[in-house]
């Protein structure tokens, strides 16, 4: 076995059952979601269908699909790369006649295939059993577009978190890295939102902005860069692309409904439903979101391949000291949490406890180093004296 194709085939044949399991779970979730919507439709028109002229189901179920796909994209890196955190397995794998870069690429592609298969099964059930159903009114063209858009989003998330996971030296650390990174920009965004508020950034006129007590003039019709940035930063996180895609697809796939009263029959009011569709509208900050996300995906893929080349068994089981791990995440979470919740005794206490436990997990005990003490001290000062400091 001295080629990439041979290694990939061997690995796929030993792990294909994961694709089957994901597909079955996705299929069951979609069938259940469709069943719930169909039952709701029947209940709506039960015994009085004549009084709901042209009434059809317009819930898209896109949120259900994307939620499942995102979870699958976060779980797959753990299932696909955990074997690299076992010293015995790694000795065996590195003894094979294949380069490390080709080996990690084979595992990466295997996970991508699993996501592709499971999502495709779920999508086809949704398309043929729901979008094409006689009781639904959805935009078929945009429903087709949903497939490549959601798939690319899922593979992007999978790529980023694959890189994050392999930066850990143990599976437990890798799981923690994925969890912390998934919510990192949420808490950081809230910190930005808290401090970069209208007290520091005030829109005075459409043609004039007050920024940190200095007047910045704009040209007529110019969209201010800082205003876009202010709206963009708090909402950005590593899975926000999927959130925005979900919002856009829901808007364009589901029609707007015009309800017209056409008469009264005894106790019943007779309605007629008219359905109209909207076009895709891309807002300015979407370009920031999609652009930065694309850069992150490409960088993650390149760094994943190049970084794995230096991996060896001596790293396995050791403290995960990557800058993409605890070394950066714990200070950001600890200080960010205290900045947000220093005025809440219960939440700040919980934050301090979690911070301490986080550093214990990081250092595998209480053998803290000077940077750890500095971060814990700063977080504690903010928690205790935050109000007095004017935060």
């Amino acid at each position: 076995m001295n080629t990439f194709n041979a290694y990939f085939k061997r690995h796929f044949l030993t792990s294909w059952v994961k694709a089957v399991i994901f597909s079955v779970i996705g299929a069951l979730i979609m069938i259940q979601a469709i069943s719930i919507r169909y039952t709701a439709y029947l209940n709506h028109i039960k015994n009085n269908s004549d009084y709901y002229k042209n009434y059809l189901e317009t819930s898209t179920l896109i949120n259900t699909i994307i939620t499942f796909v995102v979870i699958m994209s976060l779980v797959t890196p753990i299932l696909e790369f955990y074997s690299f955190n076992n010293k015995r397995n790694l000795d065996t794998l590195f003894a094979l006649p294949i380069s490390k870069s080709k080996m990690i690429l084979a595992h990466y592609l295997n996970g991508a295939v699993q996501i592709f298969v499971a999502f495709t099964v779920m999508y086809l059930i949704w398309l043929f059993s729901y979008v094409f159903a006689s009781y639904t009114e959805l935009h078929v063209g945009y429903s087709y577009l949903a497939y490549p858009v959601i798939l690319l989003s899922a593979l992007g998330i999978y790529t980023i978190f694959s890189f994050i996971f392999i930066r850990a030296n143990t599976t437990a650390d890798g799981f923690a890295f994925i969890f912390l990174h998934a919510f990192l920009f949420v808490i950081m965004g809230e910190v930005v939102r808290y401090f970069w508020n209208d007290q520091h950034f005030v829109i005075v006129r459409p043609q004039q902005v007050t920024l940190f007590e200095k007047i910045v003039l704009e040209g007529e019709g110019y969209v201010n860069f800082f205003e876009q940035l202010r709206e963009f930063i708090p909402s950005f996180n590593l899975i926000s692309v999927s959130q925005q895609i979900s919002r856009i697809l829901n808007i364009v796939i589901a029609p707007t409904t015009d309800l017209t009263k056409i008469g009264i029959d005894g106790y019943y009011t007779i309605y007629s439903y008219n359905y109209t569709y909207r076009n895709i509208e891309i807002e300015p900050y979407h370009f920031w979101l999609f652009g930065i996300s694309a850069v992150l995906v490409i960088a993650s893929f390149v760094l994943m391949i190049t970084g794995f080349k230096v991996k060896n068994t001596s790293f396995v089981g050791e403290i995960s000291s990557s800058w993409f791990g605890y070394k950066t995440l714990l200070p950001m979470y600890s200080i960010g949490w205290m900045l947000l919740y220093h005025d809440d005794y219960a939440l700040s206490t919980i934050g301090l406890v979690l911070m301490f436990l986080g550093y214990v997990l990081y250092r595998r005990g209480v053998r803290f180093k000077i940077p750890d003490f500095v971060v814990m001290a700063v977080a504690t000062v903010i928690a205790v004296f935050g109000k007095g400091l004017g935060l």
Side-chain angles (χ1 to χ4, degrees):
M1 183 178 59
N2 56 5
T3 67
F4 170 82
N5 290 337
Y7 182 84
F8 176 79
K9 180 179 179 180
R10 174 182 176 276
H11 180 57
F12 177 78
L13 291 176
T14 59
S15 61
W16 62 268
V17 68
K18 289 184 286 187
V20 175
I21 293 174
F22 280 141
S23 298
V24 171
I25 294 174
L28 292 176
I29 291 174
M30 183 48 58
I31 291 171
Q32 179 66 16
I34 292 174
S35 176
I36 291 173
R37 296 316 308 173
Y38 182 64
T39 301
Y41 166 77
L42 292 179
N43 290 337
H44 194 82
I45 63 173
K46 186 178 181 180
N47 300 325
N48 60 347
S49 59
D50 290 341
Y51 306 105
Y52 291 93
K53 302 296 183 182
N54 305 321
Y55 174 77
L56 298 171
E57 181 62 52
T58 59
S59 176
T60 67
L61 300 183
I62 286 293
N63 291 341
T64 301
I65 297 174
I66 289 185
T67 299
F68 173 74
V69 167
V70 168
I71 293 174
M72 184 169 54
S73 300
L74 296 177
V75 171
T76 299
I78 301 173
L79 299 177
E80 193 59 41
F81 300 111
Y82 77 93
S83 59
F84 295 130
N85 290 326
N86 182 297
K87 186 169 294 188
R88 182 176 300 176
N89 286 343
L90 203 59
D91 282 332
T92 302
L93 290 172
F94 284 172
L96 297 174
I98 183 174
S99 67
K100 293 180 181 179
S101 58
K102 290 182 178 180
M103 180 180 294
I104 193 68
L105 181 60
H107 282 259
Y108 168 81
L109 291 178
N110 189 62
V113 169
Q114 294 170 14
I115 293 173
F116 167 78
V117 171
F119 169 63
T120 300
V121 170
M122 191 179 200
Y123 171 83
L124 291 177
I125 293 174
W126 171 73
L127 183 68
F128 289 106
S129 299
Y130 190 71
V131 176
F132 289 166
S134 59
Y135 64 93
T136 62
E137 180 62 42
L138 300 172
H139 195 293
V140 176
Y142 285 130
S143 297
Y144 292 146
L145 181 63
Y147 180 79
V149 170
I150 296 176
L151 179 60
L152 287 175
S153 175
L155 293 178
I157 294 172
Y158 167 64
T159 302
I160 292 173
F161 284 93
S162 293
F163 163 70
I164 289 171
F165 181 81
I166 65 173
R167 301 309 300 165
N169 294 330
T170 68
T171 299
D173 286 346
F175 178 85
F177 286 6
I178 287 178
F179 178 84
L180 293 174
H181 273 285
F183 297 97
L184 175 62
F185 283 89
V186 175
I187 191 168
M188 291 299 102
E190 290 302 316
V191 171
V192 172
R193 193 190 307 275
Y194 179 80
F195 286 99
W196 198 353
N197 53 29
D198 287 338
Q199 296 177 1
H200 306 93
F201 183 98
V202 182
I203 303 299
V204 180
R205 293 287 186 274
Q207 309 304 323
Q208 180 175 300
V209 172
T210 300
L211 178 62
F212 304 119
E213 300 181 353
K214 293 183 179 180
I215 302 298
V216 180
L217 298 179
E218 306 178 283
E220 184 176 357
Y222 176 75
V223 179
N224 183 261
F225 168 81
F226 293 103
E227 183 179 359
Q228 294 183 40
L229 191 62
R230 179 196 181 205
E231 295 299 321
F232 168 75
I233 292 177
S235 63
F236 180 78
N237 61 76
L238 293 182
I239 59 177
S240 58
V241 171
S242 295
Q243 295 170 344
Q244 292 301 320
I245 288 174
S246 177
R247 187 182 70 84
I248 293 172
L249 290 177
N250 274 310
I251 289 174
V252 298
I253 293 177
T256 57
T257 306
D258 295 324
L259 185 63
T260 304
K261 180 179 177 181
I262 60 176
I264 298 177
D265 184 1
Y267 293 103
Y268 297 100
T269 301
I270 305 175
Y271 295 104
S272 176
Y273 293 81
N274 299 311
Y275 301 97
T276 57
Y277 297 94
R278 289 163 286 186
N279 293 321
I280 293 179
E281 295 182 2
I282 303 298
E283 299 178 9
Y285 82 95
H286 285 146
F287 292 102
W288 286 86
L289 183 62
F290 298 145
I292 293 177
S293 298
V295 171
L296 286 176
V297 171
I298 295 172
S300 296
F301 180 78
V302 173
L303 292 174
M304 176 182 66
I305 301 297
T306 57
F308 192 76
K309 291 180 179 180
V310 300
K311 188 177 183 67
N312 57 62
T313 55
S314 65
F315 292 109
V316 176
E318 297 299 319
I319 292 177
S320 301
S321 57
S322 169
W323 284 101
F324 294 94
Y326 298 124
K327 186 181 294 186
T328 302
L329 293 171
L330 287 175
M332 295 180 73
Y333 266 95
S334 301
I335 297 175
W337 182 279
M338 294 310 162
L339 288 173
L340 289 174
Y341 303 116
H342 61 271
D343 55 349
D344 187 311
Y345 176 76
L347 288 178
S348 60
T349 301
I350 292 173
L352 290 174
V353 172
L354 292 176
M355 175 185 65
F356 177 78
L357 294 177
Y359 273 103
V360 170
L361 175 64
Y362 174 24
R363 297 300 183 185
R364 313 287 175 79
V366 293
R367 299 183 296 273
F368 303 138
K369 296 186 177 181
I370 293 178
D372 308 339
F373 285 116
V374 171
V375 172
M376 288 188 283
V378 171
T380 303
V381 168
I382 294 174
V384 177
F385 304 106
K387 286 186 178 181
L389 296 173
L391 299 177

